[in-house]
Amino acid sequence: MSAYMIFIRESAIRDPAEMERYRTKNRGKPPQPMPTPLVVYGRIEALEGSAPDGIVMLKFESVDDARTWYHSAEYQDVIRHRKNAADYRVMIVEGI
């Protein structure tokens, strides 16, 4: 069953240099299993409540694949830059 990892950026980027480090390192050797990007900071129209600053949604083949990717040494090496750059909520949602 597919799974979706959702990154919700709660507010504006506070450290652009750290965000650029995150982006640059994320473009290197990507962690496996490779996700399919579905949403990457597209325009947001809030219908209920306030809109977050940005959203990324990645599709994985399974929840286990999503967890493996998130906890991989490669991703854990770059995650600190994202956390230093902005406030995020990150979750895995099981698909149907």
Side-chain angles (χ1 to χ4, degrees):
M1 182 173 300
S2 27
Y4 303 87
M5 186 170 296
I6 302 170
F7 295 77
I8 300 171
R9 190 168 63 215
E10 298 291 350
S11 57
I13 295 169
R14 67 177 163 269
D15 190 333
E18 278 288 87
M19 185 56 78
E20 187 54 35
R21 283 183 197 94
Y22 174 73
R23 289 179 183 140
T24 299
K25 287 186 171 198
N26 241 357
R27 290 183 194 125
K29 181 183 175 210
Q32 297 299 317
M34 187 67 122
T36 301
L38 299 177
V39 174
V40 180
Y41 300 113
R43 190 174 74 83
I44 298 171
E45 179 181 343
L47 299 177
E48 296 184 21
S50 58
D53 191 58
I55 296 173
V56 172
M57 184 166 48
L58 307 175
K59 181 181 179 184
F60 292 86
E61 292 298 314
S62 68
V63 169
D64 286 341
D65 282 355
R67 282 190 198 116
T68 297
W69 181 89
Y70 182 84
H71 293 291
S72 69
E74 295 89 352
Y75 189 66
Q76 290 301 304
D77 181 51
V78 301
I79 196 172
R80 62 189 160 92
H81 299 295
R82 178 177 54 77
K83 290 180 175 181
N84 288 337
D87 295 322
Y88 278 82
R89 286 188 290 148
V90 181
M91 61 212 70
I92 298 170
V93 179
E94 190 172 56
I96 53 171

